[in-house]
Amino acid sequence: MTEVRARAARHKGQLNFEAELKNLLYAYGDVTTPLPETVRVLDEIVTDFIIETCHQAARSATYSNRQKIKVDDFKFAVRGNEAMLGRVQELLGMDKELKEARKQFDVAEGEKGLEKGRGGRGRGKRKRAEEGEEED
């Protein structure tokens, strides 16, 4: 982190990741109910890290004459930490694969529903009942 920023007054003392940090501490061998001070300090560290990373990404977008932050700006912000950059790229690749799989699944389901002639949503049951057809 390049510079220390004061936490906004509205977030002062508020825990953003309390449950997640308690679970993380327990997973790494701490007791089931860690000290509140420990959770508070870790929450501040995580929150400050996220804020600083977002500021660095915003700075990168500003240098590129953009007002909106893109994923590449975050990649640029974490470029100094190879492990973090690798994890970011891995998660982005996994997200892309999941989107493609969902897209193929939705397309396959849509074709299956259209083959039956009742693929749409809406008032099909009521319409069939009005027309005098029997329900399945």
Side-chain angles (χ1 to χ4, degrees):
M1 291 182 255
T2 55
E3 60 189 52
V4 179
R5 296 184 189 270
R7 292 183 110 189
R10 62 181 171 186
H11 299 296
K12 196 80 168 172
Q14 176 184 346
L15 298 178
N16 298 314
F17 307 104
E18 183 177 10
E20 293 88 354
L21 289 173
K22 284 182 178 180
N23 290 334
L24 183 72
L25 287 169
Y26 181 68
Y28 278 97
D30 202 357
V31 295
T32 54
T33 54
L35 292 173
E37 295 83 19
T38 305
V39 176
R40 183 184 54 76
V41 168
L42 278 175
D43 188 83
E44 284 184 20
I45 291 170
V46 169
T47 304
D48 289 343
F49 172 77
I50 292 171
I51 290 170
E52 284 300 316
T53 305
C54 290
H55 281 293
Q56 289 174 359
R59 201 174 307 127
S60 173
T62 303
Y63 288 146
S64 301
N65 292 327
R66 283 184 277 112
Q67 292 190 3
K68 291 187 178 181
I69 300 173
K70 293 185 177 182
V71 174
D72 290 336
D73 297 323
F74 282 101
K75 285 183 186 178
F76 188 79
V78 298
R79 74 190 182 282
N81 187 339
E82 291 179 18
M84 192 182 314
L85 181 59
R87 181 71 174 147
V88 166
Q89 290 173 338
E90 179 183 349
L91 290 173
L92 289 172
M94 197 180 315
D95 182 52
K96 191 174 185 178
E97 289 176 19
L98 286 172
K99 283 182 182 177
E100 290 296 323
R102 280 191 208 112
K103 190 175 183 181
Q104 290 175 356
F105 184 72
D106 289 343
V107 168
E109 260 191 15
E111 290 172 0
K112 185 177 180 182
L114 291 175
E115 288 173 6
K116 290 182 179 179
R118 299 180 187 161
R121 296 183 189 185
R123 299 172 37 167
K125 213 175 203 183
R126 181 185 291 173
K127 189 174 181 181
R128 286 192 302 271
E130 289 174 358
E131 293 173 358
E133 292 183 9
E134 291 182 15
E135 294 183 19
D136 293 335

